[in-house]
Structures are given as structure tokens and as C-alpha cells.
Amino acid sequence: MLHTFQPFSTELLDMNPFTKIGQEWMLVSAGDETKANTMTASWGGVGVMWGKNVATIYIRGSRYTKEFIDSHDTFSITFLDKAYKPEMKFLGTVSGRNEDKLAEVKMHFNYCMDTPFVDEGNLVLICKKMSVTPITKDQFVDPQIQEKWYGDEDYHIMYIGEILQVMAR
């Protein structure tokens, strides 16, 4: 049985974002109690912008979860134990548009501030959108970025969200 989440001060947050995001991955979720979706992401960051503690996520234009992020003011980032890597791989390859992919991996949404997050996680950031910036071909200084990452021209959109709540088990 998992312990319930407790609010956690950002000042006490001690994590390596290169490991947590780039290697262990995260789940980005948005929506409401009527309908929500989540996806696995390995690109993002945390820091300070415009005097606020923020998280930055990057979502391709083709992703189903993007529709939920665009239509809601908040999104969540959930970090899970390494034991959930197979489930995270599944959640990163299946859309959720035509199936309940969270149910398929026996995971569940919970809600904080009317924002869905994955209840099986151990660290959650609830974020309020502050900025939405499309990444476009003309922004690349290094031409290899286009060649390596965007041959299909399915570009990312950068979302910067103020971290409203941190919760940990």
C-alpha cells in the first residue's frame, strides 16, 4: 500500500534533473476528472523564470496529450520508481486517443487542484501554464537538430509552467 502524497516545499526538492527526466523519464498529464491523458516524456527541465519556480516540458504537435494541455490551464509531471519503466515505455508509445492506456498498465489518475496526476508516482509537480512557444525550423542555429530530430517536421511546443504544488510520498 502506498502512502498518501504530502505537500513538499520546492526549497527541499533535491533531484538531479538530468537523471530524473532524461534517464528515468516522467509522465506529463492534463485534463480533468471527465477526461484526461498522460504521456511519457524525457525532455524537460526545472528552474526559475520570470521570478517563479517553473517546469519546462516539450510536446510534439502530433501528441494526443497536447490537446489536453492546450485546453486546460494546468498540467502535472509525475516521477515514478524505476520499477515502472515497462509501463512508462507503453504509455510513451500508445496514444490514449482510442483506448484507456492507463487502465491497461493498471495505473490510476488522482487529482490535485483539479489537475490529473498518476497516483503510482512518488514525486508530482502541479504546474500552471505561463508560456506556450512553438519550436520552428528557423530557430535552429545547428542544422543537425533539424536533420536528427525533425525529419518528419513534427516539431515540439515548449510549455513553461509555474510550479504551484510539489507533492511527495
Side-chain angles (χ1 to χ4, degrees), residues 21-44:
I21 297 169
Q23 296 174 17
E24 296 175 12
W25 308 336
M26 59 188 175
L27 293 177
V28 176
S29 307
D32 53 42
E33 292 197 37
T34 307
K35 187 143 177 93
N37 202 50
T38 192
M39 62 173 271
T40 303
S42 62
W43 291 11

Side-chain angles (χ1 to χ4, degrees), residues 31-89:
D32 53 42
E33 292 197 37
T34 307
K35 187 143 177 93
N37 202 50
T38 192
M39 62 173 271
T40 303
S42 62
W43 291 11
V46 292
V48 178
M49 186 76 174
W50 304 306
K52 307 228 183 230
N53 294 328
V54 300
T56 306
I57 58 172
Y58 302 87
I59 310 294
R60 287 189 187 268
S62 63
R63 295 301 299 257
Y64 182 49
T65 303
K66 180 186 175 302
E67 296 176 22
F68 292 86
I69 295 170
D70 288 345
S71 64
H72 291 79
D73 293 334
T74 60
F75 61 89
S76 71
I77 298 170
T78 305
F79 298 98
L80 294 97
D81 187 89
K82 292 177 191 176
Y84 285 102
K85 197 77 163 196
E87 290 86 348
M88 292 182 77
K89 283 182 183 177

Side-chain angles (χ1 to χ4, degrees), residues 35-38 64 68 91 93-102:
K35 187 143 177 93
N37 202 50
T38 192
Y64 182 49
F68 292 86
L91 294 170
T93 57
V94 174
S95 164
R97 190 180 307 271
N98 300 312
E99 63 275 307
D100 184 350
K101 65 182 184 176
L102 212 56

Side-chain angles (χ1 to χ4, degrees), residues 62-148:
S62 63
R63 295 301 299 257
Y64 182 49
T65 303
K66 180 186 175 302
E67 296 176 22
F68 292 86
I69 295 170
D70 288 345
S71 64
H72 291 79
D73 293 334
T74 60
F75 61 89
S76 71
I77 298 170
T78 305
F79 298 98
L80 294 97
D81 187 89
K82 292 177 191 176
Y84 285 102
K85 197 77 163 196
E87 290 86 348
M88 292 182 77
K89 283 182 183 177
F90 178 83
L91 294 170
T93 57
V94 174
S95 164
R97 190 180 307 271
N98 300 312
E99 63 275 307
D100 184 350
K101 65 182 184 176
L102 212 56
E104 289 188 40
V105 293
K106 297 178 176 41
M107 297 171 84
H108 310 88
F109 280 125
N110 199 339
Y111 296 85
C112 175
M113 301 173 148
D114 297 321
T115 305
F117 66 91
V118 177
D119 197 45
E120 286 72 14
N122 52 30
L123 177 65
V124 175
L125 308 177
I126 303 295
C127 302
K128 180 179 180 185
K129 282 188 305 187
M130 296 174 69
S131 174
V132 180
T133 306
I135 295 175
T136 59
K137 184 182 201 174
D138 62 319
Q139 296 170 335
F140 301 139
V141 176
D142 179 349
Q144 292 180 346
I145 294 171
Q146 174 67 33
E147 295 167 20
K148 182 174 182 178

